[in-house]
Amino acid sequence: MTSAPLAARLTEAAGPLFFPVTAFGPDGAVDLDAFRAHVRAGVDAGAAAVFACCGTGEFHALTPEEFRLVVRAAVEETAGRVPVVAGAGYGTALAIRYAELAEEAGADGLLAMPPYLVVAGQQGLLAHYTALAAATSLETVVYQRDNVVLTPETVVALARTPGIIGLKDGLGDLDLMQRIVSAVRTALPGGDFLYFNGLPTAELTGLAYRGIGVTLYSSAVFAFAPDIALAFYRALESGDDGLAGTLLDHFYRPLVELRAKGHGYAVSLVKAAVRLEGLEVGPVRTPLTEPPAAHVGELASIIANGRAALDKHRAGEAG
């Protein structure tokens, strides 16, 4: 854990948020050496934060003991250079247990995943996240997606809750997000509540989210192609619409179209891409399944085309 508050460090983020995959060995056990190498490479490449054991990291498939070991490995590898945020989910009691394990492992914060299975009302969700935030000293980001759809009024209440510092949106409802941002801004003028674009390939909607003031985003692409992810991030930051458009047209849109061809591809396709890039992180755990060879071949072509488009754009600038 680092001494600076997580909210301040994320506010000052100068790169994509890195969501590493969790590596598994041939025997199916967690491969901490491969995971450490993955985290180390991401931080060296310019990640602004490491979100360990979250959606891309197959939080759902890890035992509490494995979770603690993986989070601890991330903390040790980052060595305070960037903050480490760990996932916490399921029902309230179990989410609190994961939060305690994350704190014991040295994490800087929590990403509160949606509660398991149930579709709860607003009061129940508020009680759940309030209890989770109160259980440890870790700052918490609430993840809105799937069975967690929050009203602006509930987000205002969350923003007033000690320990809750932000909202990650995985729904993609920009009307709702605009109303949330407006409601929080009105209720807490001068507040510093954080918002994150948390869609599976957030870069595709990055320009739209920036229109409502949401600049932080999770980058699954950074896990396997940090060069492309960083180039896109810097294009957004500098207003280089030409480069952003080039990467959207030749890399991100084809990637999203491939992702739509299989269930669970937001995770398994990313893991396949990490392997394509030379790091053996093993397969996904069930109930997820691996993409077929044809789709892995498409993935390799998309990555190559993305890099070719990036090189061509840079060559044109140099000329």
Side-chain angles (χ1 to χ4, degrees), residues 164-239:
I164 296 180
I165 64 167
L167 176 72
K168 181 182 179 185
D169 179 55
L171 289 177
D173 184 337
L174 287 174
D175 177 271
L176 174 60
M177 278 302 295
Q178 179 65 85
R179 289 186 288 116
I180 286 172
V181 170
S182 175
V184 173
R185 184 171 58 226
T186 302
L188 287 80
D192 54 1
F193 197 65
L194 301 177
Y195 302 95
F196 306 78
N197 175 356
L199 289 171
T201 305
E203 288 90 344
L204 199 69
T205 53
L207 289 167
Y209 272 82
R210 280 180 171 261
I212 59 172
V214 179
T215 59
L216 295 167
Y217 64 90
S218 55
S219 177
V221 168
F222 190 89
F224 62 88
D227 52 336
I228 296 175
L230 277 168
F232 186 82
Y233 176 87
R234 290 166 180 161
L236 288 185
E237 287 291 297
S238 66

Side-chain angles (χ1 to χ4, degrees), residues 151-171:
T151 65
E153 294 76 17
T154 298
V155 179
V156 168
L158 290 172
R160 287 177 169 148
T161 301
I164 296 180
I165 64 167
L167 176 72
K168 181 182 179 185
D169 179 55
L171 289 177

Side-chain angles (χ1 to χ4, degrees), residues 2 39 43 59 91 139 171 192 204 232-234 243 305 318:
T2 53
V39 170
V43 174
F59 169 78
E139 293 174 284
L171 289 177
D192 54 1
L204 199 69
F232 186 82
Y233 176 87
R234 290 166 180 161
L243 177 55
N305 290 341

Side-chain angles (χ1 to χ4, degrees), residues 282-300:
V284 291
R285 281 181 172 174
T286 55
L288 296 178
T289 55
E290 288 296 308
H295 286 176
V296 175
E298 286 185 53
L299 177 60

